[in-house]
Amino acid sequence: MSVAVRVIPCLDVDAGRVVKGVNFENLRDAGDPVELAAAYGRQGADELTFLDVTASSGGRETMYDVVSRTAEEVFIPLTVGGGVRTVDDVDRLLRAGADKVGINTGAIARPEVIAEIADRFGAQVLVLSADVRRAEDGHFEVTTHGGRRSAGLEAVAWCARAAELGAGEILLNSMDADGTRQGFDLELIRAVRGAVAIPVVASGGAGAAEDFPPAVEAGADAVLAASIFHFGDVSIAEVKAALVAAGHPVR
């Protein structure tokens, strides 16, 4: 029996608000992450991912509040990422109500933090977020600063190293596909799937319900999208129906 594919909306949160352009007609305040999260919970999302795009410490306090309010309203697993650098950062997010914590730049700067977090809280809480693009020579490279800056790491090897250090899941975001709505980067998914045994969450490029099954066939255990869900172009139910039609079990 294969494991059910998880469908995960992603919300970018800036100073306590979902970044603009979100348009759910049934919400009083479309910019409120807690209301959006609750709506996704009702629509059958399996998990939620919040990415805190506010780097300042003041914004961080706001994010802890958003997480705690969401955890009171929504009863599906919540992953929170953005600005996580230390074991203490993870501890605070878990205490606020996060189920899993994503780490990206902090792990690149100091890979040992992956092992420190996994040793303290267990691998299941630790998600390595990898923003990946194709370099000019064709290999996959890890980037920071929204894909604008190379981290000097080959992406498949970095994902494998993170798994060895104790990451429990890889959030694999194709910066080339991100926002294009042309479909997921299947070659990237296959490459990372071949290098790690832990779950892989495919992110970047979803434009229609039929884009999701190929990502699973390439090796993704879960599929994540943002704008197509926020704008109402595709519903979670439509994605799950497409997965089921392609022979993939869903929850």
Side-chain angles (χ1 to χ4, degrees):
M1 173 70 188
S2 48
V3 177
V5 178
R6 292 169 285 143
V7 178
I8 308 173
C10 180
L11 292 81
D12 290 330
V13 180
D14 183 0
R17 309 279 291 177
V18 175
V19 175
K20 64 180 180 294
V22 180
N23 187 12
F24 266 144
E25 292 164 82
N26 59 337
L27 296 179
R28 294 186 305 280
D29 176 358
D32 182 63
V34 182
E35 290 193 23
L36 254 179
Y40 282 134
R42 291 191 297 271
Q43 289 172 24
D46 298 304
E47 298 185 9
L48 290 167
T49 293
F50 280 176
L51 294 180
D52 180 5
V53 297
T54 310
S56 72
S57 56
R60 182 50 40 92
E61 292 304 316
T62 304
M63 193 63 182
Y64 291 126
D65 176 61
V66 167
V67 171
S68 63
R69 288 191 295 123
T70 301
E72 288 171 9
E73 297 270 336
V74 184
F75 304 103
I76 53 178
L78 175 62
T79 299
V80 183
V84 174
R85 288 181 174 78
T86 66
V87 168
D88 288 343
D89 292 338
V90 175
D91 186 54
R92 284 202 66 186
L93 283 167
L94 294 175
R95 287 175 188 276
D99 298 281
K100 295 189 271 192
V101 176
I103 188 166
N104 183 345
T105 311
I108 293 167
R110 205 171 67 83
E112 308 77 54
V113 77
I114 297 173
E116 292 166 7
I117 294 167
D119 287 347
R120 175 140 171 214
F121 303 108
Q124 76 282 352
V125 308
L126 182 56
V127 179
L128 178 85
S129 182
D131 291 339
V132 179
R133 70 179 180 202
R134 272 187 176 76
E136 288 178 8
D137 65 2
H139 80 277
F140 293 112
E141 65 177 357
V142 179
T143 66
T144 61
H145 299 80
R148 295 187 297 279
R149 197 174 296 180
S150 173
L153 294 167
E154 197 282 320
V156 179
W158 170 237
C159 289
R161 184 177 179 205
E164 287 170 9
L165 285 167
E169 188 166 88
I170 306 283
L171 173 53
L172 185 62
N173 187 34
S174 168
M175 303 309 288
D176 298 316
D178 193 55
T180 66
R181 302 194 177 202
Q182 300 294 304
F184 293 92
D185 188 330
L186 304 180
E187 186 186 348
L188 173 61
I189 297 166
R190 280 191 287 266
V192 172
R193 171 78 288 155
V196 303
I198 59 176
V200 174
V201 181
S203 168
E210 54 266 27
D211 290 333
F212 290 85
V216 177
E217 280 134 34
D221 301 272
V223 284
L224 178 146
S227 57
I228 64 163
F229 291 144
H230 300 338
F231 289 118
D233 302 335
V234 179
S235 71
I236 290 163
E238 287 168 336
V239 170
K240 290 193 172 188
L243 289 166
V244 169
H248 305 297
V250 298
R251 293 180 184 177

